[in-house]
Amino acid sequence: MPTKSINCPQCGDRLPLTFLHSKLVVCASCHSTIFLEDDAVRLAGKQSVLAEIPSLIQIQQPFSYQSHTYFPVGHVRYQYDSGFWDEWWVFDEGGEGVWVSVDEGDFAFEKPVKAPANITFEKLTIDTKINNWRVTERGTAVCDSFEGELPEIIKSGDQFDYVHLSKPDGQLLTLEFSDNSVKAYKGKWVDPFEITVNT
Amino acid sequence: MSAPKIKSIQCTNCGAPLSLHGGGHKIQTLNCQYCGSVLDAKKEFKVLATFSEQQPPLLSPLQLGMQGELKGVIFTVIGIVSWLGGSTGWVDYQLFSPTHGYAWLSYEDGHWVFMRRTRYLPNRSMWSLSKRQAVQINNQTFHFFERYQATISYVSGELTWLAKVGDSTILADAIDPPYLFEAERSDAESEYYMGEYIEADTILTTFQANDDYPPAKLHPLMPYRSKWLQPLVKASKPFALILLFISLMITLFMQGSTVPYQLVKAEKTPSGKVNVSYEFKIDKPKRLIKLYLNTRQAKTLLNPNITDLQGKLVHQFGTKDTNGRYKISSTIKSVDSQFVVPVAGSYRLNFIEDDLYTPSSNYIPTVGLKITEGYVDPYYFTRLLIISIIIIVLGFVLRWLFESERWALASAGDY
């Protein structure tokens, strides 16, 4: 995996970027959020520190699932009605990014896919069926805090509506609705007992 | 891993101190074990219902707040639900791990099942299956066991769902011992759980708990065990295949070559009986020679033996009578005898026909004879094969009896 290095414009500490296409990085020293725009960096204020809670996945701590190794580089926490969940931005062995969603033992691996056309949050009520997909959860999430490197620009307080659609074989489709745009992520539910942290 | 912080609140109905065991943000209710109130964990513990007459389960080895390690993960007991269903009752313990989420331990008649929610759905509806019908879940084949209705009789601690005494649910179980697939149907939804039978000692040890009552003889998920026979059957299967192969190879390719022989003597003895000798040549010394002799049930053959041409005894066969003499009775149809000669050369088969007559010049003895050299006897292999097959069949029969008992536990009721 190619590596480049940029210094934090706030504290001067080195920012180790493990991925060329990172859009955002939080400085581990001063918690400044830095946007990456082409080859330039832009300071976007300070980021609150993520409250530490017990987690199988940790930044920079590789883990294995079904004979594949993943390397977490970024972490976002979202608040929703029932509490919060964590999204981890991890790289697989091929350098491809995967979002790992963790909500109190509910683990899901998802990759960005093309969003379906002409779909709205309002139409997707619980148990609505689209082809073989069934809406199993919907709600509104707010970005609480983040750390590490992320593939997209995120701000604390960002809010979006989301819908989870599930298939009988454990597949999962997440749709995120914000500002007239829809993002889609497809993946599967994962048993946390099958995840091994590499020490 | 740090233990969850325990907080304490007062029951908003009776004021009793209630411990919170850090059951995570999916906890919906806190249930007071003193007054039976169901408190809404999402709305400042508002009283949702009160069941003042709920009786704690008679047997409950685990208590709220106990911690134990299951599958390498530390879980805390955060809630207890007691059920009545069919002709039995059981206790479900809700467990929580900050890293692995929620799970259940189900306790019934001293047996324990560790259960977790699964996202995989069955390939056919659990609500229309008949007993023993196969159902696939995530490439694993289960067999439908039973459907039954269960009613909550006691609730305490933190739960991820609103459980009230008297609430009923319908459950459908499919088994692949020691694994369980369970569907739970309520008015609002169907949920699916994957379970695994765990030894009572494992649970009691890790949770540092006691159970004064020994587990019942049988549980639907109990794996079949036979301390001696099971490993013996396991070993016998490949052993029997190897023995079968060897026996077939011997029978097909190692039966040796037939040795020609000729009658060299058929003369009357002083006692009036007929002394018979055949001569044959052996090219493969120190290897097994098989002699097949058919008496044709005509006469008793006395002193059957093999000698070299100098008359030195090489092999004596037949059965010994009370006088210490060897003979082959006329009632015996045929006899097999095996022997080895020390050196290649000519040998003789000798016996005396127990009959009083004078043989003519063209006399032909009444026996049938076949001599084979370079012969390999599959005797021990075939006997071992038979023993292996007996062990395998015995194992199969005992397993069948065990499974019959297991399936007899399935409740007759249907929902």
Side-chain angles (χ1 to χ4, degrees):
Chain A
M1 189 182 298
T3 302
K4 65 180 181 178
S5 145
I6 303 171
N7 288 21
C8 173
Q10 181 70 15
C11 69
D13 199 6
R14 197 171 177 182
L15 302 172
L17 301 178
T18 47
F19 190 53
L20 272 175
H21 305 294
S22 290
K23 296 279 189 209
L24 180 154
V25 64
V26 177
C27 175
S29 300
C30 67
H31 304 295
S32 295
T33 303
I34 296 130
F35 296 154
L36 306 176
E37 295 174 336
D38 299 326
D39 280 339
V41 295
R42 185 159 67 85
L43 189 63
K46 281 225 166 189
Q47 173 58 39
S48 58
V49 180
L50 264 169
E52 266 199 46
I53 56 164
S55 173
L56 258 186
I57 302 177
Q58 301 287 343
I59 291 270
Q60 308 286 328
Q61 174 74 59
F63 66 88
S64 300
Y65 172 72
Q66 291 187 343
S67 308
H68 296 287
T69 301
Y70 297 88
F71 190 77
V73 295
H75 176 196
V76 190
R77 182 164 295 157
Y78 292 103
Q79 298 280 351
Y80 72 122
D81 277 352
S82 299
F84 64 88
W85 85 84
D86 290 306
E87 294 280 354
W88 299 84
W89 179 240
V90 308
F91 292 123
D92 62 18
E93 295 136 333
E96 197 175 350
V98 182
W99 283 107
V100 180
S101 165
V102 181
D103 187 1
E104 287 189 340
D106 287 336
F107 281 59
F109 283 27
E110 288 183 293
K111 288 181 179 177
V113 291
K114 191 181 171 191
N118 301 322
I119 201 155
T120 62
F121 177 69
E122 289 70 27
K123 279 184 188 172
L124 297 172
T125 52
I126 289 288
D127 276 344
T128 301
K129 264 189 156 182
I130 301 172
N131 298 327
N132 212 11
W133 295 97
R134 183 192 290 271
V135 175
T136 50
E137 187 181 340
R138 70 197 299 274
T140 301
V142 178
C143 176
D144 177 73
S145 46
F146 49 87
E147 62 177 334
E149 297 170 49
L150 298 168
E152 53 197 68
I153 293 171
I154 293 170
K155 294 194 295 291
S156 292
D158 277 357
Q159 183 171 316
F160 59 88
D161 297 320
Y162 67 90
V163 173
H164 282 164
L165 299 102
S166 300
K167 267 188 174 177
D169 59 359
Q171 284 195 75
L172 174 70
L173 179 66
T174 300
L175 301 175
E176 292 181 2
F177 300 84
S178 61
D179 299 335
N180 298 322
S181 71
V182 184
K183 290 177 185 168
Y185 306 89
K186 192 177 167 189
K188 60 178 179 178
W189 293 105
V190 164
D191 184 349
F193 282 79
E194 292 183 34
I195 291 176
T196 312
V197 177
N198 303 352
T199 52
Chain B
M1 187 182 297
S2 61
K5 288 175 186 171
I6 299 175
K7 292 184 285 182
S8 184
I9 66 157
Q10 287 184 319
C11 173
T12 50
N13 187 44
C14 70
L18 300 178
S19 293
L20 292 171
H21 297 281
H25 61 248
K26 289 183 185 167
I27 291 300
Q28 298 288 333
T29 60
L30 174 65
N31 301 271
C32 176
Q33 62 264 49
Y34 302 101
C35 70
S37 291
V38 181
L39 313 177
D40 189 338
K42 299 290 184 192
K43 292 181 179 167
E44 296 171 342
F45 300 103
K46 187 179 97 179
V47 178
L48 294 172
T50 297
F51 300 90
S52 54
E53 292 178 5
Q54 70 166 357
Q55 292 295 317
L58 290 174
L59 296 175
S60 178
L62 302 190
Q63 303 302 325
L64 293 174
M66 281 184 166
Q67 285 192 317
E69 187 176 321
L70 294 166
K71 307 280 177 191
V73 177
I74 293 175
F75 283 97
T76 305
V77 179
I78 60 168
I80 300 174
V81 181
S82 188
W83 296 88
L84 293 173
S87 58
T88 184
W90 67 96
V91 183
D92 283 344
Y93 298 93
Q94 176 134 49
L95 309 177
F96 178 68
S97 149
T99 53
H100 287 69
Y102 299 92
W104 291 94
L105 259 181
S106 188
Y107 170 76
E108 181 181 4
D109 290 335
H111 296 279
W112 298 85
V113 181
F114 178 56
M115 298 184 69
R116 292 184 297 125
R117 192 179 172 195
T118 180
R119 304 283 179 174
Y120 291 101
L121 305 185
N123 67 336
R124 52 212 303 192
S125 170
M126 291 283 284
W127 309 109
S128 56
L129 291 174
S130 51
K131 197 169 165 181
R132 289 182 185 252
Q133 209 170 349
V135 56
Q136 293 264 338
I137 298 102
N138 191 23
N139 298 323
Q140 186 175 0
T141 302
F142 290 75
H143 290 90
F144 183 74
F145 194 74
E146 61 180 350
R147 264 184 296 274
Y148 53 100
Q149 188 172 35
T151 306
I152 295 173
S153 58
Y154 174 82
V155 182
S156 69
E158 299 162 65
L159 297 173
T160 52
W161 49 295
L162 174 58
K164 303 194 300 287
V165 172
D167 279 359
S168 288
T169 189
I170 297 174
L171 301 160
D173 291 351
I175 64 172
D176 176 23
Y179 300 103
L180 167 74
F181 179 75
E182 184 169 83
E184 184 179 335
R185 186 174 68 186
S186 63
D187 293 338
E189 59 184 347
S190 281
E191 286 194 341
Y192 299 94
Y193 296 87
M194 200 65 85
E196 182 182 351
Y197 181 85
I198 308 280
E199 294 296 334
D201 283 349
T202 306
I203 300 294
L204 298 175
T205 302
T206 190
F207 282 93
Q208 297 179 10
N210 293 308
D211 189 355
D212 295 332
Y213 294 87
K217 184 188 165 199
L218 194 59
H219 182 273
L221 294 178
M222 218 164 133
Y224 170 71
R225 280 192 210 96
S226 171
K227 194 176 176 184
W228 298 107
L229 191 60
Q230 216 173 356
L232 214 54
V233 168
K234 197 176 174 185
S236 292
K237 285 178 182 173
F239 193 53
L241 280 176
I242 292 167
L243 290 169
L244 179 66
F245 178 76
I246 292 172
S247 300
L248 279 173
M249 288 297 107
I250 290 172
T251 306
L252 292 174
F253 304 113
M254 298 179 196
Q255 290 301 291
S257 50
T258 304
V259 174
Y261 56 85
Q262 59 178 342
L263 180 68
V264 294
K265 187 163 68 176
E267 60 187 21
K268 199 165 185 176
T269 64
S271 59
K273 295 173 183 176
V274 180
N275 193 349
V276 179
S277 285
Y278 292 90
E279 192 170 313
F280 54 92
K281 193 178 173 195
I282 295 298
D283 296 324
K284 295 172 182 169
K286 297 176 182 172
R287 289 189 60 187
L288 207 56
I289 299 161
K290 183 183 177 187
L291 186 144
Y292 170 79
L293 201 153
N294 191 329
T295 66
R296 293 178 182 163
Q297 299 177 334
K299 308 174 183 71
T300 292
L301 306 182
L302 303 173
N303 194 26
N305 62 62
I306 306 291
T307 61
D308 61 16
L309 295 186
Q310 285 72 47
K312 186 182 173 188
L313 184 67
V314 173
H315 176 60
Q316 181 85 61
F317 61 102
T319 51
K320 223 174 185 179
D321 66 14
T322 50
N323 298 320
R325 294 176 302 186
Y326 283 90
K327 67 177 185 181
I328 298 171
S329 165
S330 62
T331 57
I332 294 174
K333 193 177 176 185
S334 64
V335 62
D336 274 321
S337 186
Q338 291 161 13
F339 59 98
V340 174
V341 295
V343 291
S346 293
Y347 291 87
R348 280 187 177 173
L349 163 66
N350 313 291
F351 56 81
I352 296 166
E353 291 186 351
D354 190 13
D355 204 354
L356 295 173
Y357 69 98
T358 303
S360 60
S361 58
N362 58 351
Y363 170 77
I364 299 172
T366 54
V367 298
L369 185 61
K370 187 180 180 186
I371 301 166
T372 311
E373 67 174 333
Y375 171 76
V376 178
D377 188 1
Y379 179 87
Y380 293 107
F381 293 107
T382 50
R383 293 308 180 273
L384 280 173
L385 178 62
I386 289 166
I387 292 168
S388 300
I389 289 170
I390 289 170
I391 291 169
I392 292 167
V393 170
L394 186 64
F396 175 81
V397 169
L398 291 180
R399 176 73 189 258
W400 181 82
L401 290 172
F402 180 87
E403 292 300 331
S404 298
E405 281 187 62
R406 183 204 300 284
W407 284 92
L409 294 174
S411 64
D414 200 2
Y415 289 88

PDB file of all heavy atoms in Angstrom, chain A residues 61-64 196-199:
ATOM      1  N   GLN A  61      -5.234  -1.522  14.723  1.00  0.00           N
ATOM      2  CA  GLN A  61      -5.123  -2.882  15.282  1.00  0.00           C
ATOM      3  C   GLN A  61      -5.763  -3.854  14.275  1.00  0.00           C
ATOM      4  O   GLN A  61      -6.986  -3.930  14.164  1.00  0.00           O
ATOM      5  CB  GLN A  61      -5.866  -2.951  16.618  1.00  0.00           C
ATOM      6  CG  GLN A  61      -5.943  -4.336  17.235  1.00  0.00           C
ATOM      7  CD  GLN A  61      -4.623  -4.782  17.814  1.00  0.00           C
ATOM      8  OE1 GLN A  61      -4.068  -4.141  18.691  1.00  0.00           O
ATOM      9  NE2 GLN A  61      -4.101  -5.878  17.282  1.00  0.00           N
ATOM     10  N   PRO A  62      -4.941  -4.600  13.524  1.00  0.00           N
ATOM     11  CA  PRO A  62      -5.520  -5.488  12.501  1.00  0.00           C
ATOM     12  C   PRO A  62      -6.411  -6.567  13.128  1.00  0.00           C
ATOM     13  O   PRO A  62      -6.181  -6.978  14.259  1.00  0.00           O
ATOM     14  CB  PRO A  62      -4.285  -6.134  11.854  1.00  0.00           C
ATOM     15  CG  PRO A  62      -3.111  -5.386  12.341  1.00  0.00           C
ATOM     16  CD  PRO A  62      -3.492  -4.733  13.622  1.00  0.00           C
ATOM     17  N   PHE A  63      -7.402  -6.979  12.372  1.00  0.00           N
ATOM     18  CA  PHE A  63      -8.246  -8.094  12.830  1.00  0.00           C
ATOM     19  C   PHE A  63      -8.545  -9.001  11.637  1.00  0.00           C
ATOM     20  O   PHE A  63      -8.382  -8.596  10.476  1.00  0.00           O
ATOM     21  CB  PHE A  63      -9.534  -7.585  13.490  1.00  0.00           C
ATOM     22  CG  PHE A  63     -10.471  -6.862  12.549  1.00  0.00           C
ATOM     23  CD1 PHE A  63     -11.433  -7.545  11.814  1.00  0.00           C
ATOM     24  CD2 PHE A  63     -10.400  -5.484  12.418  1.00  0.00           C
ATOM     25  CE1 PHE A  63     -12.302  -6.869  10.971  1.00  0.00           C
ATOM     26  CE2 PHE A  63     -11.262  -4.797  11.566  1.00  0.00           C
ATOM     27  CZ  PHE A  63     -12.217  -5.497  10.843  1.00  0.00           C
ATOM     28  N   SER A  64      -8.947 -10.216  11.936  1.00  0.00           N
ATOM     29  CA  SER A  64      -9.220 -11.198  10.882  1.00  0.00           C
ATOM     30  C   SER A  64     -10.678 -11.627  10.927  1.00  0.00           C
ATOM     31  O   SER A  64     -11.269 -11.729  12.000  1.00  0.00           O
ATOM     32  CB  SER A  64      -8.343 -12.439  11.050  1.00  0.00           C
ATOM     33  OG  SER A  64      -7.000 -12.083  10.978  1.00  0.00           O
ATOM     34  N   THR A 196     -11.363 -12.216  14.836  1.00  0.00           N
ATOM     35  CA  THR A 196     -10.207 -12.436  15.709  1.00  0.00           C
ATOM     36  C   THR A 196      -9.296 -11.226  15.627  1.00  0.00           C
ATOM     37  O   THR A 196      -8.899 -10.822  14.532  1.00  0.00           O
ATOM     38  CB  THR A 196      -9.401 -13.664  15.238  1.00  0.00           C
ATOM     39  OG1 THR A 196     -10.321 -14.727  15.014  1.00  0.00           O
ATOM     40  CG2 THR A 196      -8.391 -14.084  16.282  1.00  0.00           C
ATOM     41  N   VAL A 197      -8.981 -10.675  16.771  1.00  0.00           N
ATOM     42  CA  VAL A 197      -8.067  -9.528  16.795  1.00  0.00           C
ATOM     43  C   VAL A 197      -6.636 -10.056  16.729  1.00  0.00           C
ATOM     44  O   VAL A 197      -6.259 -10.943  17.485  1.00  0.00           O
ATOM     45  CB  VAL A 197      -8.276  -8.693  18.072  1.00  0.00           C
ATOM     46  CG1 VAL A 197      -7.273  -7.546  18.126  1.00  0.00           C
ATOM     47  CG2 VAL A 197      -9.697  -8.161  18.110  1.00  0.00           C
ATOM     48  N   ASN A 198      -5.875  -9.553  15.761  1.00  0.00           N
ATOM     49  CA  ASN A 198      -4.494 -10.008  15.587  1.00  0.00           C
ATOM     50  C   ASN A 198      -3.593  -9.279  16.580  1.00  0.00           C
ATOM     51  O   ASN A 198      -3.562  -8.057  16.600  1.00  0.00           O
ATOM     52  CB  ASN A 198      -4.010  -9.721  14.167  1.00  0.00           C
ATOM     53  CG  ASN A 198      -4.910 -10.372  13.146  1.00  0.00           C
ATOM     54  OD1 ASN A 198      -5.808 -11.148  13.481  1.00  0.00           O
ATOM     55  ND2 ASN A 198      -4.692 -10.065  11.888  1.00  0.00           N
ATOM     56  N   THR A 199      -2.914 -10.057  17.392  1.00  0.00           N
ATOM     57  CA  THR A 199      -2.051  -9.405  18.388  1.00  0.00           C
ATOM     58  C   THR A 199      -0.588  -9.630  18.039  1.00  0.00           C
ATOM     59  O   THR A 199      -0.255 -10.508  17.279  1.00  0.00           O
ATOM     60  CB  THR A 199      -2.326  -9.966  19.789  1.00  0.00           C
ATOM     61  OG1 THR A 199      -2.254 -11.394  19.737  1.00  0.00           O
ATOM     62  CG2 THR A 199      -3.687  -9.544  20.266  1.00  0.00           C
TER      63      THR A 199
END
